[in-house]
Each structure stands twice: as C-alpha cells, then as structure tokens.
Amino acid sequence: MSQLSQLKVLIADDHFLIRQFVRNALLDSKITDVQTAADGNEAIDLVQKAQENGQPFDIIFLDWNMPTMSGLEVLSYFRAKREFASSAFVMLTAESEQQNIMKAIKAGATSYIIKPVSPTDLAKKLVEIHEWIKRKRLTAQTVQG
Amino acid sequence: MVMESTVQKTMHLHLDDNLSKEISTAVCETMRKTFKIEMVPGQYEIGEGVASLVGDVTGVIGIVQDQLEGTLALSLSYDVMRDLLPQIVGRSVSITHEMAVDAVGEMTNMIFGQVKCGINGTGLQIKLGIPTVVSGKGHFVSHFHRGKYMIIPFKMDDQLIQVYVALHSGNNKYD
C-alpha cells in the first residue's frame, strides 16, 4: 500500500448524502476500494471482518452521531485493540465543540474533519492521512525487524 | 476599604444583523463546499406568530442558550433538491422523497453546526439538539412560544431557500 489510490476505505455515516459525497471525493483521488456503513454496528462488523480476512481497511471515516453506536464509541472500541494501531480513524462530523474534538483526539482519532468540507480540502487531508499510515507501518516494521 | 460590586452581564442571542450574517455565511459555505453552488442571501424579515415557509422539506433543530430557547429551520422545495442532489448521486439517479429528507437533515446539521461554531466563537454559549425533518407541500412552522421570528431568504437561480429562526426567553426580553 504505497500508492494513495491503493487505499481501502470505509465511510460510516447514517446520511447517504455524506457517504456519496466522500465516495466521489475519493474517486477524484483514484481511490476505488470503498465500502460504506450506515450505523456504528455495521461499521464494527465490516472493519472486523475485513481484518479477519487479511484485507483490513486503511482509513475509516466516522460520523459522530450515528444509530446503534456513535463514531466516538466505534473509535474507542478499535483503539483498544492493538491490531488496528496502524488503521487511520478519521472523525468526519459537524460536531465542532472544542471539548468533543479533544475527546476524539484523546480516544485516538488520526484526524478530525469538520463538515462541510470541500472535495479539495478532503483530498489534501487524504494525503496527510496517507503519510500518517505510511509512517505508522514503517515504524511497526522497524520494531518487528 | 472600597468594596467593588461586579455586575455579571450575560450576553444573549438576538434576531439581528449579526445572527443573519452568521447564518448567511454558513448557508453559502455549506452549499458551495457540498454542491458547488453559489447562493445569494437576501434581506431578512422579522415577523411574529406562525410562519409559512415556501419549502416542501424542512429541517428543524432546537437551540438553547442560558435562559433563551428557540428553533432553527432550513426549508427547501423538492425542485431545489432535484437540482442539487444529482451533483452528488449522479444525473441518472431519480431523486426520491427519502433522499430529499435525508439530505435536508444532513444539510440542517452542517449549516446550524457551523452557525453554532461561529456564534460560540463570539463568547455566547449556545447548544443545539438533534435535527428532525418535516415534509409536505405548503407546510408551516410554528414555534410554540409564539414570539418573534426571522426569515432569511437565499436565491439559487430562480429557486428559493429559507432559513427560519425563532427565539424566546421567559420574559420575551431577548426577541
């Protein structure tokens, strides 16, 4: 996974408008391996199954307010598991209160994007997140080696 | 020894130019970033009682601040949604009622989330509820505390979008 276009992405948001908007922005960056989830439980199932199948998601976009489990709960669930340490969990939310941003960062969010976001700004964030993933995996390889 | 008494002054939200400006910025930015559409805000009007909105789908969200309560609403017609949504879902997809309702819910969330951020940045502390969406031709919005309201119109070509704000306090001092 050295190319941006090879990233595998999950978009978890209960609104189809955002799922489709992000999917379009990813397509602009030539990222085609994209799945979507409409609630927190579905996101957990998809991320876990992908990991078990040996084809984990590289980036998981999480809305804050979703049915069944919030994005923050999904984030905390996976950050407690070591095998997801190099997966990027990105909060993509209209929730802009400073204390909630801090909560997400403390819970291990890789990035925090406040909606609305333009496709151009999302593309810039993707490059930053891709760099974070590469650094994280390089560090993991060095430690193992 | 001189005793100084301090009067603690609480700032409140008003139906005025500042609020109109915050809302206009949020609507225009959300529409530009999400749909690549330029909106033109018009002059707001202040009214009292029940307001009839031109939209067929309205996103409604509650607002609270100190001793102030209110309602924020974003109202759009099906025609506007049929113009906007194909830019996201593609021209070949038919726009359904469910799609319009879902999209207005999320637009309400994004626009008023941004308004909250802007207002709270000026020192006021407002909180918002979870948006709900009502739909149906020719519906009207009634704030239960029958105080003053503000309606801000936005033009997109020959289409109209409206934002409705009603505020009230226990003594109606902050309308």
Side-chain angles (χ1 to χ4, degrees), chain B residues 121-171:
Chain B
T122 67
L124 296 170
Q125 284 304 311
I126 64 163
K127 288 187 188 298
L128 298 179
I130 303 285
T132 52
V133 179
V134 290
S135 63
K137 283 264 176 206
H139 66 261
F140 60 87
V141 171
S142 175
H143 183 65
F144 278 107
H145 299 286
R146 301 295 167 93
K148 283 184 183 164
Y149 63 76
M150 167 193 265
I151 292 180
I152 311 168
F154 294 86
K155 278 200 171 168
M156 183 188 92
D157 298 328
D158 57 345
Q159 312 265 32
L160 189 66
I161 292 177
Q162 288 175 314
V163 170
Y164 164 96
V165 188
L167 297 175
H168 102 106
S169 67
N171 54 13

Side-chain angles (χ1 to χ4, degrees), chain B residues 3-168:
Chain B
M3 296 286 286
E4 280 185 21
S5 70
T6 51
V7 179
Q8 226 174 4
K9 213 175 167 184
T10 310
M11 291 191 291
H12 286 278
L13 198 59
H14 296 270
L15 300 176
D16 60 10
D17 289 349
N18 289 335
L19 181 58
S20 170
K21 202 181 280 180
E22 286 290 353
I23 291 171
S24 297
T25 302
V27 170
C28 293
E29 200 168 305
T30 299
M31 301 303 273
R32 188 183 311 118
K33 287 180 173 176
T34 310
F35 301 106
K36 296 176 185 159
I37 292 267
E38 290 299 328
M39 304 294 302
V40 182
Q43 178 59 43
Y44 65 83
E45 62 168 84
I46 302 286
E48 203 161 351
V50 178
S52 264
L53 301 175
V54 295
D56 306 314
V57 192
T58 300
V60 184
I61 195 162
I63 173 175
V64 290
Q65 183 227 352
D66 195 15
Q67 293 178 16
L68 189 71
E69 291 176 0
T71 303
L72 300 166
L74 170 76
S75 195
L76 302 92
S77 68
Y78 287 128
D79 286 343
V80 170
M81 295 312 291
R82 275 192 285 265
D83 280 352
L84 292 177
L85 290 182
Q87 297 187 52
I88 303 290
V89 297
R91 302 273 158 207
S92 58
V93 177
S94 312
I95 305 304
T96 64
H97 172 77
E98 287 72 24
M99 282 178 176
V101 167
D102 180 286
V104 171
E106 183 58 12
M107 287 158 71
T108 304
N109 197 28
M110 287 193 282
I111 288 169
F112 294 126
Q114 208 181 329
V115 170
K116 180 180 89 167
C117 188
I119 289 171
N120 288 353
T122 67
L124 296 170
Q125 284 304 311
I126 64 163
K127 288 187 188 298
L128 298 179
I130 303 285
T132 52
V133 179
V134 290
S135 63
K137 283 264 176 206
H139 66 261
F140 60 87
V141 171
S142 175
H143 183 65
F144 278 107
H145 299 286
R146 301 295 167 93
K148 283 184 183 164
Y149 63 76
M150 167 193 265
I151 292 180
I152 311 168
F154 294 86
K155 278 200 171 168
M156 183 188 92
D157 298 328
D158 57 345
Q159 312 265 32
L160 189 66
I161 292 177
Q162 288 175 314
V163 170
Y164 164 96
V165 188
L167 297 175
H168 102 106

Side-chain angles (χ1 to χ4, degrees), chain A residues 46-75:
Chain A
L46 288 170
V47 173
Q48 250 164 359
K49 274 179 193 153
Q51 185 78 20
E52 285 160 16
N53 294 338
Q55 293 177 316
F57 286 101
D58 300 301
I59 303 177
I60 299 100
F61 285 101
L62 295 169
D63 185 19
W64 191 285
N65 289 308
M66 288 190 287
T68 67
M69 274 179 99
S70 72
L72 189 65
E73 287 169 327
V74 175
L75 168 67

Side-chain angles (χ1 to χ4, degrees), chain A residues 76-136:
Chain A
S76 304
Y77 177 86
F78 285 114
R79 279 296 182 237
K81 296 171 185 283
R82 190 180 292 178
E83 63 267 35
F84 295 97
S86 62
S87 300
F89 288 87
V90 180
M91 298 301 296
L92 178 59
T93 169
E95 183 52 67
S96 59
E97 272 189 39
Q98 199 60 36
Q99 61 188 46
N100 286 335
I101 297 174
M102 289 314 296
K103 261 188 214 172
I105 300 297
K106 276 184 187 164
T110 309
S111 187
Y112 195 102
I113 303 172
I114 297 172
K115 294 185 282 191
V117 59
S118 69
T120 313
D121 288 342
L122 197 54
K124 283 181 194 161
K125 279 281 179 190
L126 273 172
V127 173
E128 287 173 22
I129 295 161
H130 184 218
E131 289 302 316
W132 178 90
I133 294 169
K134 285 198 286 190
R135 276 199 309 274
K136 203 77 180 165

